[in-house]
C-alpha cells in the first residue's frame, strides 16, 4: 500500500526553503566560492536518466541516495552537492529530496544571475531501489554529436534544446578527481551568462592530452582583464562541447545564443524547467499523478 502522501507545502514554506538555499550558496572554501554550479549539476543528473520510451528514470525518486545511482562514476562529486543540502532537509523534513534537489538548482541559477525557472513540487523519494534506472544513461564527454543526440533524444529533447542545455557549462568546472577532465569553461564560472557560446566561437581551441589519457580542448582568453600579478588562465571545452561547432544544426544555435543573451536565457529557462519535469506526470491542476514510476505526490 502506498502511504498517505503529505499535503502540498504552502508558498510560504517553499519560500523558507529557497531562502535557506540562497544562504548556503556562498562557500568561500569550496571551488570558485559557490555551491551553485554543483547544485545545478545535481538537479541535471537527477533528471537526465529519463527514458521517454520506457518512462523510467527522471527527477522523481532521488535515487542518488542509494549506491546504485549515487556511486555511479558519472555522479562522482555530487556527494558534495547532496551534503550542502542535507542541513536544509533536516530543517524542513516535509520536502522530499527529489523536490529539494531540483528546487535548489533553480534558486542557484537565479542567484548566479540567470533566468527564473518555473518549478513545481510533488516529487517523491523512492523507498524501493528496484526503481532506480540502470547506469550508463548520462552523456559521455569524450564523445561527439551523434552521442549527444542519442542521449538527449532519449529524454525527448531536440537539437535546439541540446545546445541550450549545454549552455549550463557557463557554470562551474571539471575536476580531475571526478570526471578526469580539468578546468573551467569561462573566466567567471559562478556567473550565469552566454559567455560559453561566445568562447566556443573563438575557434582557437587546441586539443590537449591529459596525463590520464583523456583529451580536452584548451584556450587562453587574452582579452580578459587581469589583476596586476594574475596569470592568464587556461579555459577548457569537452569534446562534446566542441562537437556543437562541428555539427551545422547545433552550430546555428551556438551562434544565436552567442549573439543574443536574452534568447539564450529564455530558451534555457524553458528547457531547464522541462528537464526538471522529466519522469513526472501531472493532472490538469498540476498535481502529480501516481503510476508505477511515481510512488506518491502530494494529497490535494
Ligand atoms: Zn555538465 N559536465 N555535461 N551539464 N555540468 C560537467 C560539469 C558540469 C557533460 C559532462 O560530461 C560534464 C550538462 C550537460 C553535459 C553542469 C551542468 C550540465 C563535467 C565535469 C562533465 C565531465 C564534472 C567534474 O569533473 O566535476 C556532458 C557530456 C554533457 C552533455 C551535453 C547539462 C545539460 C547541464 C545542466 C543543464 C554543471 C553546472 C557542471 C559544473 C559542476 C561543478 O562541480 O562545478
Amino acid at each position: 500500500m502506498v502511504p498517505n502522501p503529505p499535503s502540498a507545502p504552502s508558498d510560504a514554506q517553499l519560500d523558507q526553503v529557497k531562502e535557506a538555499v540562497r544562504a548556503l550558496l556562498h562557500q568561500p572554501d569550496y571551488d570558485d566560492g559557490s555551491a551553485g554550479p554543483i547544485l545545478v549539476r545535481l538537479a541535471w543528473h537527477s533528471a537526465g536518466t529519463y527514458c521517454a520510451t520506457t518512462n523510467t528514470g527522471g527527477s522523481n525518486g532521488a535515487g542518488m541516495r542509494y549506491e546504485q545511482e549515487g556511486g555511479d562514476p558519472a555522479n562522482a562529486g555530487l556527494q558534495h552537492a547532496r551534503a550542502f543540502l542535507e542541513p536544509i532537509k533536516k530543517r524542513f523534513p516535509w520536502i522530499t529530496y527529489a523536490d529539494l534537489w531540483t528546487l535548489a538548482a533553480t534558486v542557484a541559477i537565479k542567484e548566479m544571475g540567470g533566468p527564473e525557472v518555473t518549478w513545481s513540487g510533488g516529487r517523491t523519494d523512492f523507498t524501493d531501489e528496484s526503481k532506480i534506472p540502470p547506469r550508463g544513461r548520462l552523456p559521455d564527454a569524450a564523445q561527439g554529436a551523434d552521442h549527444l543526440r542519442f542521449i538527449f533524444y532519449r529524454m525527448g529533447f531536440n537539437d535546439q534544446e541540446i545546445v541550450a542545455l549545454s549552455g549550463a557549462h557557463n557554470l562551474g568546472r571539471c575536476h580531475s578527481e571526478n570526471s578526469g577532465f580539468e578546468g573551467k569553461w569561462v573566466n567567471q564560472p559562478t556567473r550565469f551568462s552566454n559567455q560559453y557560446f561566445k568562447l566556443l566561437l573563438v575557434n582557437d581551441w587546441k586539443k590537449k592530452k591529459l596525463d590520464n589519457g583523456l583529451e580536452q580542448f584548451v584556450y587562453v582568453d587574452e582579452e580578459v582583464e587581469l589583476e596586476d600579478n594574475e596569470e592568464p588562465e587556461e579555459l577548457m571545452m569537452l569534446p562534446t562541447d566542441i562537437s556543437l561547432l562541428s555539427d551545422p544544426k547545433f552550430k546555428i544555435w551556438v551562434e544565436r545564443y552567442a549573439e543574443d543573451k536574452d534568447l539564450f536565457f529564455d530558451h534555457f529557462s524553458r528547457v531547464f524547467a522541462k528537464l526538471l519535469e522529466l519522469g513526472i506526470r501531472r493532472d490538469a491542476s498540476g498535481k502529480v499523478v501516481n503510476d508505477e514510476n511515481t510512488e506518491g505526490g502530494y494529497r490535494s
Side-chain angles (χ1 to χ4, degrees), residues 14 39 41-42 46 48 59 91 135 240 279 289:
L14 285 171
L39 291 180
R41 190 167 197 240
L42 177 66
S46 81
S59 75
R91 232 177 106 194
R135 292 183 178 185
T240 41
V289 177

Side-chain angles (χ1 to χ4, degrees), residues 187-188 220-227 231-233 235:
N187 284 292
Q188 287 191 294
V220 176
D221 188 355
E222 307 282 357
E223 303 286 301
V224 74
E225 281 183 42
L226 298 168
E227 302 289 323
E231 289 282 319
E233 204 174 343
L235 300 175

Side-chain angles (χ1 to χ4, degrees), residues 7-201:
S7 54
S10 66
D11 286 349
Q13 279 181 300
L14 285 171
D15 282 345
Q16 286 187 311
V17 174
K18 290 190 217 170
E19 192 46 50
V21 173
R22 263 178 230 120
L24 72 74
L25 289 177
H26 180 61
Q27 294 285 344
D29 299 328
Y30 178 76
D31 261 12
D32 300 288
S34 171
I38 200 154
L39 291 180
V40 175
R41 190 167 197 240
L42 177 66
W44 139 238
H45 277 208
S46 81
T49 55
Y50 186 62
C51 170
T53 313
T54 56
N55 190 30
T56 55
S59 75
N60 210 44
M64 268 186 261
R65 290 168 300 137
Y66 298 100
E67 170 62 22
Q68 187 188 325
E69 189 171 344
D72 183 343
N75 289 326
L78 294 177
Q79 69 277 8
H80 299 300
R82 296 195 295 277
F84 282 132
L85 294 175
E86 193 55 32
I88 300 188
K89 172 68 181 165
K90 292 254 151 55
R91 232 177 106 194
F92 306 102
W94 49 264
I95 194 165
T96 59
Y97 282 101
D99 270 353
L100 178 59
W101 294 353
T102 48
L103 178 64
T106 66
V107 174
I109 288 167
K110 181 83 193 141
E111 285 297 297
M112 291 186 286
E116 194 88 48
V117 176
T118 305
W119 177 90
S120 309
R123 292 167 194 75
T124 38
D125 295 337
F126 290 158
T127 47
D128 176 359
E129 281 185 67
S130 70
K131 293 185 177 192
I132 294 176
R135 292 183 178 185
R137 287 190 174 183
L138 292 162
D140 170 4
Q143 300 205 43
D146 291 349
H147 173 71
L148 287 185
R149 289 202 171 92
F150 173 74
I151 295 286
F152 285 90
Y153 285 7
R154 186 204 68 222
M155 294 179 229
F157 291 114
N158 63 28
D159 290 351
Q160 170 261 314
E161 291 172 317
I162 292 172
V163 180
L165 278 170
S166 299
H169 286 168
N170 269 287
L171 300 173
R173 56 168 62 242
C174 296
H175 309 77
S176 47
E177 71 275 21
N178 295 342
S179 61
F181 296 98
E182 188 55 50
K184 54 190 183 178
W185 291 267
V186 305
N187 284 292
Q188 287 191 294
T190 63
R191 184 95 205 129
F192 196 88
S193 79
N194 63 342
Q195 186 67 7
Y196 163 85
F197 296 112
K198 293 186 183 167
L199 283 167
L200 255 181
L201 289 173

